[in-house]
Amino acid sequence: MSLAPTLPAGPVPTQRFNDPVAALAQVKAIYERSLAQLRGALHSFVAGTAPTEHVRACYPFVRVHTDTVARADSRLSYGFVAGPGTYETTLTRPDLFNGYYLEQFRLLLKNHNVALEVGVSSQPIPVHFSLAEHDHLEGSLGPERRLLMRDMFDLPDLAAMDDAIANGTYETRPGESHPLSLFTAPRVDYSLHRLRHYTGTAPEHFQNFVLFTNYQFYIDEFVRLGHEAMADPASEYLAFVEPGNVITRRTGTAHRPGDELGAIPPRLPQMPAYHLVRADGAGITMVNIGVGPANAKTITDHIAVLRPHAWIMLGHCAGLRNTQALGDYVLAHGYVREDHVLDEDLPLWVPIPPLAEIQVALQTAVADITQLTGYELKRILRTGTVASTDNRNWELLPQRTPERRFSQSRAVALDMESATIAANGFRFRVPYGTLLCVSDKPLHGEIKLPGMANHFYRERVDQHLRIGMRAVELLRAQTVDQLHSRKLRSFAEVAFQ
């Protein structure tokens, strides 16, 4: 049941608010009214009654105007606009982003001491984005009715959901408001729907700390640990969610309405996600992205709209140094980007720096889990450059070519995903890190063979995963503004975190 105010019939005037709670309530009221209008018309259309005219409902917007460059604190990394002018963004899913929107509104009011304006934008909500989680109405429509649907409703418009703002290529036209957020509402909605498709779980289950892996072995162990946590009445985690939105509640916790709708899918999605859920959303999501930079870019493109506090790559790599042993760890402090999937969005001349907060958490986690410190820790942990390639069979290239490049770059490890995940974290202002485990050394004659690999996986996966989860615990103990620091912000940055 919504706590948003009930809007009268007719046009909704733009209103000014000095209270973030009241401003968000108005956003919810506008959004819910728009959804009700679209869903009602769509249900009638599916039932055979075509609307007499085109049906359009639009997203709510929030706007702020300031005449000064002054702000409360120059040490802030977000929560303020770049200078005098009008700034605006469309908003969606205030139910999902309730806490996030409330914090952004609060910061804008605090740092600029000017009212927030909330109203109805001119940006249509595509009818597909109005569907509830378990609505599948188009499946009952014939080809002719589906074509007619194009005339009656607004469909997704890719021109309204590109990444120009995040990429730093967006140019405000004369008379137009400056962007207030990295993502417009249609771009967010697009990614929310893609997340369902690729991961098999609803966006509501995603947590603020995300682990990526390129091997199912890690997922198997995460599932085991997830169910182990659910059997512990004292666990900090409330639920464990698997693909198909299959929810296991912690022992002693009552089931909630909707839990029964979860169902094991007949086949796993392309990049299945699993979630250890905390009440504050600061739990752990783990995604098996599979192999390759294309998958790594795809999933981070979409998870980025959820504005997580950090994402970390935990996977296997080829060790490039003779002094490394199978099972050693590599903490990336730089990346050679030969993945190519982000070349158009993030030029290769852009450095992808290590982030101190993530680096320290990962190194501390390795020490905590292995119980090694100081000089002894160096036996199994090496900090260095990681190269990521889009060529899975790079070993078959004439050897002097890759070996020379890797040596010149000082690379200590090679994989196919880490540079992509780090680069997209930099691009979308999501704190990132990489901890890899050496599973083969092809330059030194130690290639991955089935028997060796299986033994290695059994020996190392549990420890590696526990290190990643320990790093999340350490990061969780920090304040949010420590993680979302100024290091990731550009010259004229948007206000929303």
Side-chain angles (χ1 to χ4, degrees):
M1 181 173 167
S2 174
L3 297 178
T6 301
L7 298 180
V12 179
T14 298
Q15 296 186 41
R16 295 164 62 85
F17 296 91
N18 291 298
D19 176 12
V21 175
L24 183 56
Q26 182 71 353
V27 168
K28 291 179 180 179
I30 293 171
Y31 183 73
E32 289 173 6
R33 172 173 160 165
S34 294
L35 283 197
Q37 179 184 344
L38 281 177
R39 287 176 178 173
L42 185 57
H43 278 277
S44 296
F45 180 82
V46 171
T49 304
T52 57
E53 59 184 9
H54 188 90
V55 178
R56 172 164 291 173
C58 294
Y59 290 104
F61 74 81
V62 63
R63 178 192 298 145
V64 65
H65 178 83
T66 180
D67 296 316
T68 176
V69 298
R71 63 178 189 266
D73 190 340
S74 63
R75 295 168 297 181
L76 298 175
S77 58
Y78 60 90
F80 59 91
V81 298
T86 301
Y87 298 81
E88 181 180 316
T89 188
T90 48
L91 303 171
T92 189
R93 293 295 307 275
D95 57 322
L96 178 62
F97 293 102
N98 181 83
Y100 174 76
Y101 285 161
L102 193 63
E103 178 65 1
Q104 308 316 305
F105 291 3
R106 184 190 69 79
L107 290 172
L108 284 171
L109 288 166
K110 173 186 175 184
N111 292 329
H112 293 289
N113 197 30
V114 293
L116 301 177
E117 299 176 30
V118 175
V120 181
S121 74
S122 59
Q123 179 65 58
I125 300 177
V127 68
H128 298 78
F129 297 165
S130 72
L131 297 178
E133 176 69 29
H134 298 283
D135 280 349
H136 303 284
L137 299 180
E138 278 194 84
S140 60
L141 297 177
E144 291 185 3
R145 295 287 288 173
R146 283 200 294 271
L147 282 176
L148 181 60
M149 187 175 170
R150 293 175 174 269
D151 297 327
M152 297 292 101
F153 300 94
D154 290 298
L155 302 185
D157 177 11
L158 293 181
M161 55 181 74
D162 65 30
D163 282 329
I165 301 172
N167 290 347
T169 58
Y170 182 82
E171 295 185 9
T172 303
R173 295 185 291 269
E176 183 184 40
S177 297
H178 299 285
L180 195 57
S181 172
L182 288 177
F183 304 107
T184 63
R187 170 67 170 85
V188 173
D189 273 337
Y190 176 77
S191 282
L192 297 182
H193 279 68
R194 293 288 82 195
L195 284 175
R196 292 188 185 94
H197 171 73
Y198 284 117
T199 71
T201 55
E204 289 82 351
H205 300 307
F206 277 77
Q207 300 295 290
N208 272 320
F209 294 93
V210 183
L211 301 178
F212 296 111
T213 187
N214 50 9
Y215 279 94
Q216 181 63 32
F217 297 92
Y218 286 83
I219 296 297
D220 293 342
E221 185 64 15
F222 190 67
V223 170
R224 186 186 71 79
L225 293 175
H227 285 289
E228 186 178 279
M230 293 305 96
D232 179 6
S235 172
E236 64 183 316
Y237 300 105
L238 301 180
F240 183 64
V241 183
E242 302 175 65
N245 297 315
V246 176
I247 301 175
T248 303
R249 299 282 175 190
R250 187 183 65 195
T251 296
T253 304
H255 289 282
R256 297 183 182 179
D259 285 3
E260 72 284 355
L261 298 175
I264 299 174
R267 65 191 64 83
L268 283 177
Q270 185 174 344
M271 289 179 273
Y274 303 77
H275 315 274
L276 265 173
V277 178
R278 276 172 48 119
D280 59 0
I284 304 173
T285 286
M286 189 163 200
V287 185
N288 181 2
I289 61 176
V291 176
N295 276 4
K297 178 183 183 298
T298 296
I299 199 63
T300 48
D301 278 350
H302 300 314
I303 291 179
V305 306
L306 299 173
R307 311 312 298 142
H309 295 329
W311 60 41
I312 295 172
M313 176 67 189
L314 298 179
H316 294 159
C317 65
L320 300 179
R321 302 301 179 92
N322 196 38
T323 53
Q324 291 171 301
L326 300 187
D328 283 357
Y329 294 113
V330 173
L331 176 59
H333 74 179
Y335 301 89
V336 175
R337 295 168 53 200
E338 293 191 354
D339 49 342
H340 302 302
V341 294
L342 279 168
D343 290 0
E344 291 186 17
D345 296 304
L346 194 69
L348 285 173
W349 49 260
V350 176
I352 309 299
L355 302 182
E357 297 81 3
I358 308 291
Q359 300 295 99
V360 170
L362 284 170
Q363 180 167 319
T364 302
V366 175
D368 288 350
I369 298 300
T370 64
Q371 293 295 293
L372 298 175
T373 58
Y375 196 63
E376 287 302 307
L377 185 61
K378 288 187 174 185
R379 291 185 184 276
I380 65 163
L381 176 65
R382 183 158 188 162
T383 301
T385 298
V386 170
S388 287
T389 179
D390 59 357
N391 182 0
R392 178 58 190 89
N393 296 315
W394 65 272
E395 300 99 326
L396 303 182
L397 294 171
Q399 276 308 297
R400 288 186 59 82
T401 304
E403 187 172 355
R404 182 186 299 117
R405 291 204 310 274
F406 297 151
S407 179
Q408 289 174 328
S409 69
R410 310 299 192 266
V412 299
L414 180 136
D415 77 345
M416 298 187 69
E417 301 86 19
S418 293
T420 310
I421 288 171
N424 239 9
F426 181 90
R427 174 178 167 232
F428 290 129
R429 290 75 162 170
V430 176
Y432 53 85
T434 300
L435 183 71
L436 302 176
C437 191
V438 176
S439 60
D440 62 339
K441 295 171 58 183
L443 292 182
H444 308 285
E446 294 188 55
I447 62 175
K448 197 176 299 182
L449 298 174
M452 287 170 51
N454 288 337
H455 176 75
F456 164 77
Y457 296 144
R458 287 194 300 270
E459 291 293 316
R460 268 294 182 261
V461 165
D462 175 71
Q463 184 183 78
H464 195 184
L465 178 57
R466 288 182 182 274
I467 289 170
M469 296 175 71
R470 174 60 181 153
V472 167
E473 292 175 358
L474 295 169
L475 292 170
R476 189 189 292 142
Q478 301 183 35
T479 59
V480 171
D481 57 348
Q482 279 183 281
L483 289 174
H484 298 282
S485 68
R486 292 177 295 179
K487 293 188 288 290
L488 293 176
R489 313 299 279 185
S490 63
F491 288 176
E493 190 60 75
V494 298
F496 279 24
Q497 173 256 307

